Amino acid sequence: MDLVGLLKSQFLCHLVFCYVFIASGLIINTIQLFTLLLWPINKQLFRKINCRLSYCVSSQLVMLLEWWSGTECVIHTDPQAYPKYGKENAIVVLNHKFEIDFLCGWSLAERFGVLGGSKVLAKKELAYVPIIGWMWYFTEMVFCTRKWEQDRKTVSKSLLHLRDYPEKYFFLIHCEGTRFTEKKHQISMQVAQAKGLPSLKYHLLPRTKGFAITVRSLRNVVSAVYDCTLNFRNNENPTLLGVLNGKKYHADLYVRRIPLEEVPEDEDECSAWLHKLYQEKDAFQEEYYRTGTFPETPMVPPRRPWTLINWLFWASLLLYPFFRFLINMISSGSSVTLASFVLVFFVASMGVRWMIGVTEIDKGSAYGNIDSKQKRSD
């Protein structure tokens, strides 16, 4: 390991990133709280401000991927579709196999200049998580309980609110609902067999209702579905801890632009269309494992400097008073003060490990038992 790599793997560096992220995030959440005063006066101004505040938070994670880790994502796509990316609203359907696939989705949005306004379909519990969850609340993210009878109205209502959104956005959705593991895949394929659906080798059975309601609610506002299939070269198994340690990964992302007019309006037909899409995604993954590449022309969108500039701004604003406080506390020589410092350091360490741990594949949500799945019409 070279000197730079050794430096990147040090916990002190991780602690600095964590401190800047948490401190800046809480400041931004506080500012977002005050922007609520604008909502009854000028809703569109409220939205534009919160898009930019949201970018200040989410771009810090993208900065870790693109600048600290140096991970590069090659996009394989139709050159005729490429100029439209970032110029239109789109539903992005991304496979859910890797710990950092959500970061690759955010990086895609960042490369095309729509990260601040982009949306996800997220679990309702995340709305109560400080920083990310609160930020999402103020940017009108769509939350679901994964219980369709409850979600039918609430998700549709949230999606309809986005019809007059003033900023371009990608709506990222993992139709599989949870990350791929062999155990979940086995259960998923038993459900597929029970429903008479074709089996998938590299994906879980997609949950079609959320996708169908998204398409129905955003039709004539969203121009296309971007079918995104992600994989990593040389059988790399990327993790957030690896990114934090500065490890460089090599991603390939196959992006197909499908005009929304080609997606059926009828719910049952839309469901069948999505199942067919995932059979095609499976075939693309099979080809990738066989040949090491995806179809279409490989392209690398330029890395924008704004994620790095944003982090450097917050770091310069927050690190000086932080280190000055630490020096004063240590130089005081008080045993109580030093004990407090050790306690804070320990809690911060656990906080960093927890934030990393929640992204691990084996900590993902359960796919559900077979019986309950077979009772669903999805």
Side-chain angles (χ1 to χ4, degrees):
M1 181 182 292
D2 59 16
L3 183 61
V4 174
L6 181 63
L7 177 66
K8 288 182 176 182
S9 67
Q10 298 306 302
F11 179 71
L12 182 60
C13 291
H14 305 169
L15 194 62
V16 167
F17 282 124
C18 185
Y19 165 72
V20 172
F21 180 76
I22 292 174
S24 63
L26 293 175
I27 291 171
I28 290 165
N29 286 162
T30 303
I31 297 172
Q32 288 181 306
L33 184 62
F34 283 105
T35 64
L36 284 174
L37 297 172
L38 288 173
W39 180 267
I41 302 170
N42 191 330
K43 182 173 74 172
Q44 299 297 54
L45 178 61
F46 167 89
R47 286 169 153 177
K48 290 180 179 181
I49 290 174
N50 275 282
C51 275
R52 283 140 186 86
L53 291 173
S54 169
Y55 182 84
C56 290
V57 176
S58 54
S59 68
Q60 293 187 46
L61 299 178
V62 176
M63 186 280 297
L64 283 176
L65 182 73
E66 294 186 346
W67 292 91
W68 182 255
S69 162
T71 293
E72 194 62 80
C73 185
V74 177
I75 294 177
H76 302 254
T77 192
D78 181 356
Q80 294 183 347
Y82 185 86
K84 298 180 181 179
Y85 299 158
K87 306 294 191 303
E88 62 186 0
N89 296 330
I91 298 170
V92 176
V93 178
L94 184 62
N95 58 313
H96 205 10
K97 185 174 183 179
F98 306 99
E99 287 185 17
I100 66 168
D101 49 25
F102 76 96
L103 263 185
C104 292
W106 287 13
S107 177
L108 178 70
E110 163 59 21
R111 294 290 176 107
F112 292 106
V114 295
L115 177 61
S118 289
K119 314 296 177 190
V120 297
L121 183 61
K123 293 184 293 184
K124 186 177 180 180
E125 293 82 359
L126 293 176
Y128 306 106
V129 177
I131 305 175
I132 291 288
W134 295 351
M135 172 197 77
W136 282 354
Y137 173 81
F138 285 106
T139 51
E140 300 171 74
M141 210 63 68
V142 180
F143 295 101
C144 64
T145 63
R146 295 184 177 179
K147 297 177 181 178
W148 179 242
E149 293 307 317
Q150 297 179 26
D151 289 336
R152 184 188 296 271
K153 292 183 179 179
T154 56
V155 170
S156 178
K157 184 178 178 180
S158 297
L159 288 165
L160 291 173
H161 286 162
L162 299 180
R163 292 189 64 84
D164 64 344
Y165 207 78
E167 303 283 334
K168 296 298 181 187
Y169 59 84
F170 288 169
F171 190 93
L172 281 74
I173 181 170
H174 295 287
C175 293
E176 295 163 89
T178 185
R179 285 197 184 99
F180 182 101
T181 66
E182 290 301 328
K183 182 178 180 181
K184 294 173 187 175
H185 179 252
Q186 182 181 7
I187 296 172
S188 177
M189 291 307 97
Q190 289 174 352
V191 175
Q193 185 178 15
K195 294 181 177 180
L197 295 170
S199 61
L200 301 171
K201 187 175 181 180
Y202 302 105
H203 300 83
L204 303 180
L205 195 67
R207 300 178 178 182
T208 62
K209 292 186 182 296
F211 176 79
I213 198 171
T214 300
V215 169
R216 183 168 66 249
S217 300
L218 297 180
R219 194 174 289 276
N220 301 321
V221 173
V222 164
S223 302
V225 171
Y226 294 173
D227 171 36
C228 297
T229 305
L230 176 69
N231 213 322
F232 288 83
R233 299 175 195 171
N234 305 317
N235 294 316
E236 290 177 337
N237 185 25
T239 64
L240 187 56
L241 183 58
V243 171
L244 199 56
N245 283 328
K247 184 176 180 179
K248 183 174 182 177
Y249 297 108
H250 306 84
D252 286 297
L253 183 66
Y254 180 36
V255 182
R256 289 191 298 166
R257 183 186 182 275
I258 305 171
L260 205 65
E261 295 78 19
E262 296 183 12
V263 183
E265 295 189 27
D266 177 78
E267 184 173 324
D268 290 337
E269 293 179 2
C270 184
S271 175
W273 183 90
L274 185 64
H275 283 300
K276 182 175 181 295
L277 183 78
Y278 268 78
Q279 293 164 34
E280 294 170 354
K281 290 171 79 71
D282 228 45
F284 296 140
Q285 289 284 32
E286 182 70 35
E287 181 178 351
Y288 186 87
Y289 283 114
R290 182 174 57 84
T291 66
T293 188
F294 284 122
E296 298 291 358
T297 306
M299 302 178 181
V300 181
R303 183 174 58 177
R304 303 188 335 146
W306 306 115
T307 57
L308 180 60
I309 292 172
N310 172 73
W311 189 85
L312 290 174
F313 166 77
W314 286 107
S316 62
L317 184 69
L318 297 168
L319 286 178
Y320 174 73
F322 175 68
F323 283 120
R324 185 173 180 177
F325 169 75
L326 286 183
I327 291 170
N328 290 338
M329 187 167 61
I330 294 172
S331 62
S332 69
S334 169
S335 57
V336 175
T337 301
L338 292 176
S340 300
F341 171 72
V342 171
L343 178 61
V344 169
F345 187 86
F346 175 78
V347 171
S349 173
M350 292 299 101
V352 171
R353 298 304 176 188
W354 176 81
M355 291 174 69
I356 293 169
V358 296
T359 71
E360 294 175 357
I361 289 177
D362 59 1
K363 303 276 184 70
S365 61
Y367 189 80
N369 60 65
I370 300 173
D371 293 336
S372 66
K373 292 294 175 184
Q374 289 177 340
K375 291 178 182 178
R376 295 183 182 180
S377 60
D378 182 4

